[in-house]
Amino acid sequence: RFYWDLIMLLLMVGNLIILPVGITFFKDENTPPWIVFNVLSDTFFLADLVLNFRTGIVVEDNTEIILDPHTIKMKYLKSWFLVDFISSIPVDYIFLIVDLETQVDSEVYKTARALRIVRFTKILSLLRLLRLSRLIRYIHQWEEIFHMTYDLASAVVRIFNLIGMMLLLCHWDGCLQFLVPMLQDFPEDCWVSINHMVNDSWGKQYSHALFKAMSHMLCIGYGQQAPEGMTDVWLTMLSMIVGATCYAMFIGHATALIQSLDSSRRQYQEKYKQVEQYMSFHKLPGDTRQRIHEYYEHRYQGKMFDEENILGELSEPLKEEIINFNCRNLVANMPLFANADPNFVTAMLTKLRFEVFQPGDFIIREGTVGKKMYFIQHGVVSILTKGNKETKLSDGSYFGEICLLTRGRRTASVRADTYCRLYSLSVDNFNEVLEEYPMMRRAFETVAMD
């Protein structure tokens, strides 16, 4: 079914582009390629109509597929059957029979009135342009198949669809600009007669008609000359209305797409504007403003998420999986947690809080009461003791763990040498988890004694 839909998609696009051109600009539509294309299209679309009665329907939540023929038939009859049926009427089979019969009485066929009637009936072929609804449905189905929901691929597909639709409407309007004067046998006040293009090649006629249509639709005037006949006036107004609608839709869609492409960046920019206004209101000095700016750059890196809210909405297994992925390696290096119960470690990881420090910031000051320990995700810190001896710690290291076991005062200071991304664990949170795991408390007290 997937490959069949792909063939139908290509055939539909071909029909939507070629049919209006053939009906409008080609006087002799009985050439073998034209007949083959149309008859082939009719055959394929009739086959597709039959296949739609035999194709399973995926239920919206994607957990079930309806395969009962009676249910499929009823659903299809109630939804798209009428549009698909009208657009699949085998017009060209009928025209082939009519053309064969009319060739017998060539005199009648050549009269102007008969010619106009035949031309007018040819417009019935435009019923196939209703297949545009199928094209849109197939594109939506493909977006669902490839899970293109909010990512870049989806945005590209939607922009491509929008531009394609606008170009197709311009193409149809260009054909309409020529078709109406042609059905009137090119009156003297129509734009084709004024520009002496009645007997020109179809390429030249189409190019001028498309230019005229695009001039109207982009609302940049009414083309090379003002419309003179009433028909031209009404056609021009119709083009302008359609064009203005398309233009408004394009601007609206494009704006929505650009905003949805990176909502986290937009959120960050809005937040930082508030921060700038706050700094301006309090008249903070320039160097402090610069440090705040750099802090936001490194803390959020241009994107802002409500992480607590996101994790809060997830199921417990998913939340644990994310936290384990982010922090498990940091805790694995620590002897306190090396041989601990995995459930205890997971519970501890959920209590970690992400923090960022700038170069020169004192993370811990000597002599203060310890309330947190830290794990270094990225960055370098210096441990400063009374003897002015420095020890460097980097990615994957930890410090300040003694405070978890004894509420003593800090015996050293810790200074950030680079931008440091750390995870902190507070004493209160540590004790809260220990309440649930009393066996672990005894193990930690033994380590503390050591």
Side-chain angles (χ1 to χ4, degrees):
R1 181 69 206 205
F2 179 82
Y3 293 115
W4 174 261
D5 284 350
L6 185 61
I7 293 164
M8 293 302 296
L9 198 69
L10 295 172
L11 200 61
M12 269 186 276
V13 172
N15 268 266
L16 294 169
I17 294 169
I18 295 166
L19 264 178
V21 175
I23 290 165
T24 308
F25 297 98
F26 291 102
K27 294 174 181 69
D28 180 22
E29 291 179 6
N30 293 329
T31 55
W34 180 253
I35 291 168
V36 168
F37 174 76
N38 283 326
V39 170
L40 192 72
S41 294
D42 284 346
T43 309
F44 266 87
F45 283 109
L46 278 170
D48 187 58
L49 194 69
V50 175
L51 280 176
N52 283 338
F53 283 106
R54 305 292 306 163
T55 302
I57 301 166
V58 181
V59 182
E60 283 181 10
D61 59 1
N62 289 329
T63 55
E64 185 190 349
I65 299 172
I66 298 168
L67 293 172
D68 176 46
H70 179 71
T71 313
I72 293 167
K73 182 176 79 175
M74 293 313 295
K75 275 188 173 286
Y76 186 47
L77 285 171
K78 285 176 186 174
S79 55
W80 291 99
F81 171 73
L82 190 63
V83 175
D84 287 356
F85 176 73
I86 294 168
S87 66
S88 300
I89 292 170
V91 180
D92 283 276
Y93 287 119
I94 299 161
F95 285 151
L96 274 175
I97 296 161
V98 171
D99 285 346
L100 287 170
E101 286 175 1
T102 49
Q103 279 169 11
V104 177
D105 191 357
S106 57
E107 289 301 314
V108 178
Y109 190 72
K110 283 174 185 172
T111 61
R113 189 179 174 193
L115 191 62
R116 265 203 300 277
I117 290 165
V118 170
R119 269 186 193 162
F120 196 74
T121 53
K122 286 282 183 189
I123 295 170
L124 284 172
S125 296
L126 285 169
L127 285 173
R128 277 185 289 186
L129 297 186
L130 286 169
R131 291 167 189 165
L132 183 66
S133 62
R134 282 197 208 182
L135 180 69
I136 294 163
R137 271 146 52 203
Y138 286 144
I139 288 167
H140 283 313
Q141 282 172 15
W142 282 28
E143 282 185 13
E144 286 171 18
I145 287 166
F146 293 118
H147 304 294
M148 291 189 290
T149 329
Y150 296 109
D151 56 358
L152 188 64
S154 172
V156 170
V157 167
R158 283 159 69 191
I159 289 171
F160 182 75
N161 289 350
L162 206 59
I163 293 169
M165 277 295 299
M166 285 191 72
L167 290 174
L168 192 63
L169 280 171
C170 285
H171 170 71
W172 287 357
D173 193 24
C175 294
L176 188 69
Q177 294 287 339
F178 191 85
L179 179 67
V180 173
M182 184 196 79
L183 291 173
Q184 296 174 321
D185 275 342
F186 303 113
E188 288 181 9
D189 60 353
C190 79
W191 70 273
V192 186
S193 299
I194 291 168
N195 291 307
H196 311 294
M197 295 177 64
V198 178
N199 298 314
D200 280 346
S201 66
W202 78 268
K204 193 173 179 184
Q205 289 171 340
Y206 173 73
S207 300
H208 277 77
L210 187 65
F211 170 74
K212 186 175 169 65
M214 290 183 85
S215 299
H216 301 163
M217 289 183 76
L218 295 172
C219 303
I220 53 171
Y222 37 70
Q224 288 174 305
Q225 67 227 14
E228 293 187 15
M230 281 305 291
T231 313
D232 267 8
V233 168
W234 280 101
L235 263 178
T236 302
M237 285 196 292
L238 179 69
S239 293
M240 284 177 162
I241 291 165
V242 172
T245 308
C246 283
Y247 192 66
M249 279 176 64
F250 183 78
I251 295 295
H253 268 68
T255 307
L257 273 172
I258 290 162
Q259 286 187 333
S260 66
L261 266 178
D262 204 345
S263 61
S264 57
R265 185 173 291 277
R266 197 179 77 252
Q267 226 173 323
Y268 170 78
Q269 287 167 347
E270 285 172 6
K271 178 72 176 177
Y272 191 69
K273 276 177 191 168
Q274 287 183 26
V275 173
E276 282 183 327
Q277 286 166 7
Y278 172 81
M279 294 190 293
S280 178
F281 178 77
H282 284 287
K283 299 181 174 60
L284 297 180
D287 57 339
T288 307
R289 290 188 188 201
Q290 184 60 31
R291 279 173 60 77
I292 291 170
H293 171 72
E294 287 171 4
Y295 173 81
Y296 266 83
E297 282 291 306
H298 284 84
R299 170 67 180 83
Y300 296 104
Q301 297 184 357
K303 292 177 185 287
M304 190 167 270
F305 311 96
D306 187 350
E307 192 167 12
E308 281 189 24
N309 193 26
I310 293 167
L311 291 174
E313 288 169 351
L314 294 175
S315 64
E316 283 301 319
L318 275 176
K319 192 196 297 186
E320 286 173 12
E321 191 177 325
I322 291 169
I323 291 165
N324 278 327
F325 176 79
N326 287 339
C327 311
R328 176 69 72 173
N329 291 340
L330 294 176
V331 175
N333 299 330
M334 190 175 171
L336 281 175
F337 298 120
N339 301 311
D341 178 354
N343 295 326
F344 168 77
V345 176
T346 301
M348 200 62 76
L349 291 177
T350 60
K351 303 295 183 183
L352 294 184
R353 291 289 171 267
F354 181 67
E355 296 186 33
V356 170
F357 291 91
Q358 293 172 289
D361 284 355
F362 276 91
I363 303 165
I364 288 174
R365 288 188 183 273
E366 190 178 348
T368 56
V369 175
K371 290 181 180 176
K372 289 179 184 177
M373 76 160 292
Y374 296 89
F375 300 92
I376 305 172
Q377 186 188 39
H378 183 69
V380 178
V381 300
S382 291
I383 312 291
L384 309 170
T385 55
K386 283 178 182 172
N388 292 326
K389 186 187 172 190
E390 279 194 26
T391 310
K392 301 279 185 187
L393 295 177
S394 59
D395 300 11
S397 301
Y398 58 91
F399 56 91
E401 72 280 7
I402 300 301
C403 78
L404 297 182
L405 307 165
T406 61
R407 282 186 177 262
R409 294 191 176 271
R410 302 289 193 186
T411 54
S413 296
V414 181
R415 185 190 64 216
D417 289 351
T418 62
Y419 276 97
C420 293
R421 299 164 66 80
L422 313 174
Y423 280 93
S424 67
L425 174 62
S426 73
V427 174
D428 293 339
N429 285 335
F430 179 72
N431 287 328
E432 192 183 311
V433 177
L434 278 181
E435 292 289 326
E436 297 171 26
Y437 296 88
M439 293 299 290
M440 293 306 302
R441 179 179 287 280
R442 292 195 195 99
F444 278 108
E445 283 169 357
T446 308
V447 172
M449 292 299 291
D450 293 343

